[in-house]
Amino acid sequence: MDVRQLRHFLAVAEVLHFGRAAGRLGMTQPPLSQSIRALEAELGAALFERTKRSVALTPFGAQFLPHVAATLADLDRLGETARQILSGTSGRLELSFVSTADYSILPALVHRFRQLYPEVELALSEATSDMQIAALREGHGQAGLIIPAATDPLPESFLYRRLVSEPLVAAVPEAWLTSGRLPTDHGLLPPEAVISSPLIVFPRRAAPSFYDLVTGYYAACGGTAHVVQQAIQMQTIISLVSAGMGIALVPASLKHLARSGVRYLDLLGDVPELETGLVWRRDDSSATLRNFLEMTRALDLPAAPA
């Protein structure tokens, strides 16, 4: 069977009259009748019950009709679907992100993209920066929100755009503050209190730039980080702080993650800042990615909470 035969069947089924259906199709009745008979022969079943006075669908024809109508409607939409895919208003965008972005720029990016392109399927996946880069190198996904490694430049096949930079703050056990174990200076955490406290941090292999930023702060303050636990999820790190295992230096946007038994304190003195940006393959020419990149240029990203 072909599309022409299916359109002939639909026309006759809608008016149940071969002459009127032929007129609607801009053809004469004999070739229309021949087309229907050829379709019936191919299907191995009659579609219409014909008499000299009337035409009616057979039980098989009546059940076959909605499938034909739906198929032809899909075919009629193919041209518009192609235009939407080419323009990026339809299709799919695969975006990965580090866990820190979930509390800073990711919600704003997703919200705005959904507003602009509601028909695009947005597939989100959480992964560390190293895993994102490895996946992109293998052709998986389209873009990723990463913490760039200052000492390990991206391959030439990648492009990168800085999106936001935010200061680090200290996530500390609340009990340490109430007991006086962790002294503060007008609500700020002084360097000596930081370097004397056990540290919970991302493993360096997962976020080398973040790890080096944190340990570099300890070194700049004249101390060495005493790492008691490593974790690759921010939620896990904050949970361990709540349990009193140690403190963590985290992006200021983590203040959005409220957790019982945890307080967030600004750091006293020179405060390091963590950068988050967008990485994608240089040769990815998909329209959905192009629209996403253009959106990030125009979007006013939220500031970290005070």
Side-chain angles (χ1 to χ4, degrees):
M1 74 185 74
D2 59 34
V3 174
R4 178 182 57 85
Q5 289 175 314
L6 296 177
R7 294 195 186 281
H8 292 172
F9 165 63
L10 181 62
V12 177
E14 287 177 341
V15 299
L16 295 177
H17 192 283
F18 276 81
R20 288 198 295 272
R24 175 186 291 185
L25 293 167
M27 61 191 300
T28 60
Q29 183 172 335
L32 175 60
S33 298
Q34 293 171 6
S35 176
I36 296 297
R37 283 195 293 270
L39 178 59
E40 290 175 324
E42 187 168 351
L43 293 171
L47 294 167
F48 297 101
E49 295 175 349
R50 307 165 178 85
T51 69
K52 291 183 179 181
R53 295 179 178 271
S54 66
V55 176
L57 285 164
T58 64
F60 166 68
Q63 293 185 56
F64 189 50
L65 176 60
H67 297 284
V68 172
T71 297
L72 292 176
D74 287 341
L75 285 173
D76 291 338
R77 286 193 292 267
L78 276 180
E80 178 60 25
T81 298
R83 286 188 289 273
Q84 290 176 348
I85 292 174
L86 289 171
S87 67
T89 58
S90 182
R92 179 180 172 90
L93 177 68
E94 298 180 11
L95 177 67
S96 54
F97 61 94
V98 290
S99 63
T100 52
D102 196 17
Y103 303 95
S104 57
I105 59 174
L106 181 66
L109 292 175
V110 170
H111 177 70
R112 184 57 178 158
F113 192 74
R114 291 256 51 84
Q115 284 184 320
L116 294 174
Y117 306 103
E119 300 304 317
V120 174
E121 179 188 357
L122 185 58
L124 300 172
S125 59
E126 183 178 339
T128 56
S129 298
D130 60 326
M131 292 179 62
Q132 291 186 58
I133 293 170
L136 287 168
R137 185 183 289 114
E138 294 173 4
H140 304 303
Q142 292 169 273
L145 295 171
I146 66 167
I147 298 170
T151 59
D152 187 14
L154 291 168
E156 287 293 323
S157 57
F158 286 159
L159 293 173
Y160 173 81
R161 177 182 301 156
R162 175 187 175 278
L163 293 182
V164 68
S165 184
E166 55 182 322
L168 297 186
V169 299
V172 304
E174 189 170 27
W176 290 14
L177 295 175
T178 55
S179 67
R181 173 177 174 177
L182 202 62
T184 62
D185 185 349
H186 297 89
L188 302 177
L189 195 63
E192 57 271 20
V194 174
I195 62 179
S196 64
S197 301
L199 177 67
I200 305 165
V201 70
F202 274 110
R204 192 180 189 282
R205 61 171 177 76
S209 187
F210 190 10
Y211 183 93
D212 292 347
L213 187 68
V214 171
T215 56
Y217 175 73
Y218 276 75
C221 294
T224 302
H226 172 45
V227 178
V228 292
Q229 185 64 49
Q230 296 182 341
I232 62 173
Q233 298 289 336
M234 269 299 172
Q235 298 94 324
T236 305
I237 289 175
I238 298 304
S239 293
L240 294 175
V241 172
S242 176
M245 183 171 286
I247 71 169
L249 299 188
V250 299
S253 58
L254 256 290
K255 291 180 179 181
H256 292 301
L257 178 57
R259 183 63 57 86
S260 176
V262 176
R263 289 268 301 277
Y264 296 97
L265 300 178
D266 292 336
L267 300 173
L268 185 66
D270 294 331
V271 181
E273 293 201 349
L274 182 70
E275 178 179 321
T276 303
L278 189 68
V279 64
W280 67 97
R281 290 186 299 275
R282 186 184 296 271
D283 62 356
D284 192 332
S285 59
S286 64
T288 52
L289 176 61
R290 182 187 67 235
N291 289 344
F292 184 78
L293 294 175
E294 290 179 357
M295 181 205 73
T296 62
R297 291 192 188 99
L299 187 64
D300 289 329
L301 295 172

